[in-house]
Amino acid sequence: MNRELYACVHAAELPAQALLRLRPELRAQPVVILDGPAAQQTVCALNQHARRRGAALGMARLDAESLAEMKLLRRSIQAEKVSRSILLECVSQFSPRIEDALWNTLWDEERQAGQATACAFVLDIQGTERLFGPPEQLAQRLRSCLSAAGFHVSIAVSANFHTARLIAAHRGGIHVIAEGQEAAMLAGLALTALDGDAASDTDLAEILAQWGIRNLGELAALPEAELMTRLGARARTWSALAQGRATYLFRPIQPALRLEEFYAFETPVAQIDSLLFTIARMIDCLAQRAESRALALATVTALMQLEDGSSHQRVIRPALPSLDRRFLLKLVQMEIGAHPPQAAVTSLLLQAEPGQSRQMQLGLFTPQMPEPSRLDVTLARLKSIVGEDRVGSPVLEDTHRADSFHMLSLIAGHAGADQRLQGGSGQAPQAPKLQFHRLCLRRMRPPRPVSVLLHAGRPAVFHDRKQSFKITAAYGPWNSSGCWWSAAAWESGLEPHGSAAWNSAEWDLLATSPDGAPCACLLSHDIQGNIWHLEAFYD
Amino acid sequence: MPSAATLQMEIERSLAARFPAALSPAPQTHREAAATGVAAVDTLLQGGLPVGAVSELIGAMSSGRTSLALAFVASRTAEGRICAWVDAGDTFDPESAAGSGVNLSQLLWVRCQGMQSSPCHTDLPQAGRRRVQRQPWARLDQALRAVDLLLHAGGFAAIVLDLGDTVWEQASRIPAATWWRFRQAAGSTHCSLVVLGRAAYAASSAAIVLECAARQAKTSGGTILSSLEYNVTLKRDRSARIAPCPFPARRATASTWTAQPGWTQQMRRA
């Protein structure tokens, strides 16, 4: 029969850890985190280096500033929330049954504001020996995993839930407590270790202090029956906690996968390079987290809070979900380069949507295709050269109006082939078998206004850009009109170009240019405005 | 006294580190060709336009270069391949392309524009203001940069660089090094780079130069333009092919083909 086994992961000084996680260069420096209104800021968290320099919790900002080489950062609740979810995600790799160890110990206000200065999770690791080895090995792997994510944690493994939780919260490092040794391990903890516990009682603590009971070992040594006689049933719970035999009903939570990273800059960042330096780390973390779940990043959204109070959001969508950090960073760089924020950035939230990374079986006889990830970067570069809406695949619109189309992003590779197959009848679309070769047009955009000389109601000569073209043959007119039923078109004056409606006559002309070269062109005559336009050349 | 063959072997062995096979003639390779879809032109080119090389279709306006290029792109997309059309003059007509049989979902259209905007990459607060440069070279510069990017991205079966409306004075000043680089990139990525222009710009980097010209127009009943007939002349063919015999038969250097407007087919159906 398997015995119960719990591992508790405790991350102390969460406000400091949340900010230092993405700032590895500050981890070797003394850092304190300030919280509160601007005039009354006090230290709410600090690292070991700061503690050695004399900093302490509750210290005023002026006192902290007076300490040499002290780095002061402002607390970020958003960063703590993100760090908590990342920590939860990391530990969920080791067990599906996880409970938030501090949830019951927090006050309601703290829960609502998310202002807990520590973060602890208890994992039910019963039956995981075959996967992760003995508890010592599991604890080591757990700490390595969290260290890679930027967390410094203490871990305790015990068969008793509360023992694991208390030891992890008050003893640093890794502790694996053998069965029956719980009371011995807890004996050294001060009685205040039970503060904030569900069973806490200030009156009871005061009475025990008057009796000279200062640690859990002394409390556990008191005879239970006499203790209950004098202090009531609540004292029994304390005694059981101190002896390491308090029972607990495990209430696992179900962590949702939220791929988010948050970074609050100390000073507004006005350089794209500096921004990208931070984004690179964040993408790295996101990709690592997605990879641990055998997923890839389908979209990445960068939400920037700007110095002027506004926000700026950019979204990148690779053709295929990817884990290639350099590729994703390049896409973000191109996107922000093409659409830069209008002010300096104060904070940055990077959110990613996970997607399944695809594996394709390639064939020897499949035609060569652009590599999707490389094509994404190429398209982004092309857009930065010619414009956002000037690169893509043209799609014809369902209208008789000339030159009506819109652009869609090119989806190449096997993903595009898949989409084309799904959109159709299951077979790759084949070009229609033509009986003859099509005469093609070269469009003028916008159509060039020309002056036309008529002879017997038919064009005889037209002038374009100071050049005179003698018309040798004119075929037409071919009248066309459309969208005259649209109210918006009438309001806009029925202009043939630039409004929804059109009413024009087209002429196919064979002409001779001034240098004697023959040409075939398409002229349109706006009937309402009596304006002629050179629409296209046949070529 | 050593024979000539022995001497050749000794010389080649001694120079092997610097010049591999110094005295041996370079082996001829058969270059792959892709059909243009126009039978007369394919016959003239003995198969089609070369793959992994630069081809030029030159001629004046209404000479049939665009129709020929679109027919080529249509035949490539019909094989399920991806093509690109770099449009320096923004004159590409998607409707004509679709009518020619081009699968538009497999075509990347790059529309160059006259204005060149470049964001400042250093300072974010000023980054919103873009420098807008109006210069005559912007379109050509964009087109060349786009072709460079597409060639190096790889995977495109054909790239058409449309310089049909670019004035000769500008296009002829494209450095020869640029064409050389395009030729190398096209060769390494197995891509057919087709250049449409008023004259031949790529010089010795072009494997094929086809000169197009309008021949005559035909009408139907004197009221409808029914077809245009074009002449195609092979001005240059440097695509390496294995000659079938030491003295190949004299090739034809010109051909004729016909293109018809879309309504002709509709009339036939009716």
Side-chain angles (χ1 to χ4, degrees):
Chain A
M1 177 183 168
N2 289 333
R3 65 186 179 97
E4 291 181 356
L5 198 60
Y6 300 98
C8 182
V9 176
H10 187 95
E13 307 290 351
L14 186 64
Q17 293 209 45
L19 293 176
L20 294 180
R21 197 173 66 81
L22 291 172
R23 295 174 173 85
E25 71 278 2
L26 291 182
R27 288 179 194 165
Q29 296 179 27
V31 178
V32 295
I33 311 300
L34 298 171
D35 191 21
Q40 303 166 352
Q41 283 187 332
T42 56
V43 174
C44 69
L46 68 165
N47 65 359
Q48 284 295 331
H49 299 287
R51 207 180 295 276
R52 287 194 203 107
R53 299 286 175 100
L57 291 175
M59 182 180 272
R61 182 191 179 104
L62 281 175
D63 297 334
E65 283 176 343
S66 65
L67 297 173
E69 298 178 11
M70 189 63 67
K71 187 81 179 172
L72 281 71
L73 298 177
R74 188 165 184 179
R75 186 176 186 185
S76 168
I77 299 295
Q78 178 77 18
E80 289 171 35
K81 285 181 179 173
V82 170
S83 297
R84 185 183 177 280
S85 66
I86 294 170
L87 185 65
L88 177 58
E89 194 184 313
C90 289
V91 299
S92 64
Q93 297 172 32
F94 293 85
S95 173
R97 283 168 54 83
I98 301 166
E99 180 172 339
D100 187 346
L102 295 181
W103 185 249
N104 293 327
T105 63
L106 295 178
W107 299 106
D108 289 343
E109 298 82 32
E110 284 181 321
R111 273 185 217 158
Q112 287 169 8
Q115 288 182 345
T117 55
C119 178
F121 294 104
V122 179
L123 290 74
D124 182 1
I125 57 170
Q126 180 184 351
T128 61
E129 287 84 359
R130 295 184 67 180
L131 274 175
F132 301 109
E136 295 84 0
Q137 199 173 334
L138 180 138
Q140 288 288 354
R141 292 175 69 169
L142 193 53
R143 192 163 74 165
S144 302
C145 174
L146 292 169
S147 294
F151 292 102
H152 181 74
V153 295
S154 54
I155 298 172
V157 180
S158 171
N160 183 268
F161 178 90
H162 292 291
T163 304
R165 181 174 63 79
L166 290 171
I167 294 295
H170 297 95
R171 295 254 192 267
I174 295 176
H175 295 275
V176 179
I177 303 153
E179 198 165 8
Q181 297 298 313
E182 290 88 354
M185 284 296 292
L186 290 167
L189 297 185
L191 207 57
T192 52
L194 297 179
D195 285 355
D197 201 272
S200 67
D201 191 325
T202 50
D203 296 341
L204 197 60
E206 283 176 11
I207 294 169
L208 289 173
Q210 286 172 3
W211 289 357
I213 305 298
R214 308 213 181 278
N215 57 37
L216 298 188
E218 293 170 357
L219 176 61
L222 294 176
E224 191 175 328
E226 282 77 359
L227 198 62
M228 281 184 62
T229 308
R230 287 168 176 78
L231 299 178
R234 53 192 179 163
R236 186 180 180 184
T237 310
W238 275 45
S239 179
L241 284 170
Q243 292 172 18
R245 54 178 182 79
T247 56
Y248 185 77
L249 179 64
F250 196 83
R251 286 170 291 184
I253 55 176
Q254 290 186 339
L257 178 61
R258 291 169 63 92
L259 292 175
E260 284 183 353
E261 288 288 346
F262 179 80
Y263 195 99
F265 296 101
E266 296 148 42
T267 54
V269 173
Q271 302 283 329
I272 285 185
D273 289 343
S274 308
L275 205 59
L276 289 173
F277 189 71
T278 307
I279 291 175
R281 282 187 197 154
M282 298 168 86
I283 286 180
D284 203 31
C285 292
L286 288 174
Q288 197 175 359
R289 289 166 58 193
E291 195 173 15
S292 66
R293 293 190 175 224
L295 294 172
L297 303 183
T299 64
V300 177
T301 305
L303 182 61
M304 291 165 259
Q305 292 297 328
L306 307 184
E307 197 175 16
D308 59 3
S310 62
S311 61
H312 183 70
Q313 180 173 325
R314 300 310 311 166
V315 182
I316 61 160
R317 292 185 178 84
L320 290 175
S322 172
L323 284 172
D324 188 341
R325 278 84 159 166
R326 290 182 62 188
F327 158 63
L328 292 170
L329 181 63
K330 192 69 190 174
L331 285 186
V332 173
Q333 181 188 3
M334 304 293 295
E335 185 68 22
I336 294 179
H339 305 279
Q342 300 298 309
V345 180
T346 55
S347 68
L348 177 66
L349 176 66
L350 220 62
Q351 295 173 316
E353 283 182 19
Q356 295 290 338
S357 56
R358 298 193 44 170
Q359 302 292 330
M360 289 292 295
Q361 177 67 49
L362 300 177
L364 284 174
F365 304 105
T366 51
Q368 63 173 0
M369 292 279 180
E371 188 187 342
S373 59
R374 204 166 176 184
L375 180 66
D376 279 337
V377 176
T378 305
L379 291 180
R381 283 181 171 156
L382 287 173
K383 285 174 182 172
S384 70
I385 292 174
V386 299
E388 185 73 24
D389 55 343
R390 301 184 72 86
V391 178
S393 294
V395 178
L396 297 176
E397 291 180 358
D398 187 15
T399 173
H400 286 290
R401 182 177 184 136
D403 204 21
S404 296
F405 65 91
H406 64 272
M407 303 284 275
L408 281 183
S409 186
L410 176 72
I411 302 171
H414 300 279
D418 286 355
Q419 287 194 4
R420 286 189 285 274
L421 285 173
Q422 287 167 8
S425 58
Q427 292 183 343
Q430 295 291 324
K433 194 69 180 174
L434 299 175
Q435 302 294 326
F436 56 88
H437 305 298
R438 173 77 180 258
L439 186 59
C440 298
L441 291 172
R442 293 178 71 83
R443 288 266 172 204
M444 303 288 123
R445 292 194 182 91
R448 288 209 295 258
V450 291
S451 61
V452 178
L453 201 62
L454 299 177
H455 179 70
R458 300 177 73 82
V461 176
F462 75 90
H463 299 274
D464 173 37
R465 289 180 176 176
K466 298 179 182 176
Q467 285 189 324
S468 180
F469 289 80
K470 188 179 178 185
I471 299 170
T472 54
Y475 307 100
W478 316 115
N479 294 326
S480 71
S481 65
C483 287
W484 41 266
W485 52 86
S486 166
W490 282 105
E491 287 168 6
S492 62
L494 280 175
E495 293 177 5
H497 301 290
S499 69
W502 78 94
N503 183 12
S504 62
E506 291 183 345
W507 290 81
D508 298 315
L509 304 177
L510 298 177
T512 309
S513 63
D515 56 0
C519 66
C521 58
L522 173 66
L523 256 62
S524 72
H525 179 216
D526 174 22
I527 295 170
Q528 301 285 338
N530 193 22
I531 303 170
W532 290 81
H533 285 94
L534 176 59
E535 291 277 348
F537 278 99
Y538 287 102
D539 188 24
Chain B
M1 186 176 177
S3 66
T6 313
L7 276 173
Q8 181 181 342
M9 282 179 61
E10 286 179 359
I11 292 170
E12 284 189 342
R13 196 179 301 126
S14 61
L15 293 175
R18 295 173 62 193
F19 307 106
L23 299 179
S24 301
Q28 282 192 319
T29 53
H30 177 74
R31 179 165 279 175
E32 187 186 348
T36 61
V38 180
V41 177
D42 289 340
T43 308
L44 179 69
L45 295 174
Q46 295 182 337
L49 294 175
V51 175
V54 180
S55 306
E56 286 194 281
L57 305 182
I58 63 172
M61 198 61 78
S62 301
S63 60
R65 355 162 245 185
T66 309
S67 301
L68 184 57
L70 279 174
F72 175 63
V73 171
S75 69
R76 298 302 274 167
T77 55
E79 297 167 3
R81 299 175 192 273
I82 303 290
C83 300
W85 192 286
V86 180
D87 198 359
D90 195 15
T91 57
F92 179 79
D93 182 33
E95 199 175 344
S96 295
S100 297
V102 176
N103 189 344
L104 293 181
S105 65
Q106 290 171 231
L107 180 72
L108 177 68
W109 180 19
V110 182
R111 305 170 62 192
C112 303
Q113 56 180 343
M115 284 180 284
Q116 193 177 35
S117 62
S118 55
C120 303
H121 285 288
T122 53
D123 202 359
L124 279 182
Q126 296 174 2
R129 302 182 220 142
R130 291 179 168 221
R131 285 180 292 153
V132 177
Q133 301 171 349
R134 291 177 182 277
Q135 48 183 347
W137 299 92
R139 282 176 183 267
L140 187 57
D141 182 45
Q142 288 175 1
L144 294 177
R145 287 164 66 190
V147 170
D148 208 2
L149 281 172
L150 291 169
L151 278 174
H152 285 95
F156 288 90
I159 298 173
V160 179
L161 172 58
D162 189 349
L163 302 178
D165 287 338
T166 308
V167 293
W168 181 85
E169 288 79 5
Q170 291 179 15
S172 60
R173 290 184 188 176
I174 298 172
T178 302
W179 294 115
W180 171 261
R181 197 171 65 248
F182 286 175
R183 173 184 154 180
Q184 294 298 319
S188 59
T189 55
H190 220 57
C191 170
S192 300
L193 176 60
V194 180
V195 183
L196 301 189
R198 297 187 176 185
Y201 305 125
S204 59
S205 297
I208 293 277
V209 176
L210 279 179
E211 189 178 48
C212 306
R215 190 179 180 199
Q216 66 171 349
K218 290 181 180 175
T219 61
S220 174
T223 56
I224 295 174
L225 178 66
S226 61
S227 67
L228 282 176
E229 200 170 290
Y230 299 113
N231 268 338
V232 180
T233 311
L234 183 61
K235 288 290 183 182
R236 169 180 293 175
D237 186 0
R238 288 190 173 178
S239 56
R241 295 168 203 277
I242 296 173
C245 62
F247 305 103
R250 180 169 291 182
R251 288 174 56 182
T253 58
S255 184
T256 305
W257 67 289
T258 304
Q260 298 172 350
W263 55 79
T264 311
Q265 191 178 23
Q266 293 171 4
M267 286 170 61
R268 282 181 184 170
R269 281 179 190 162

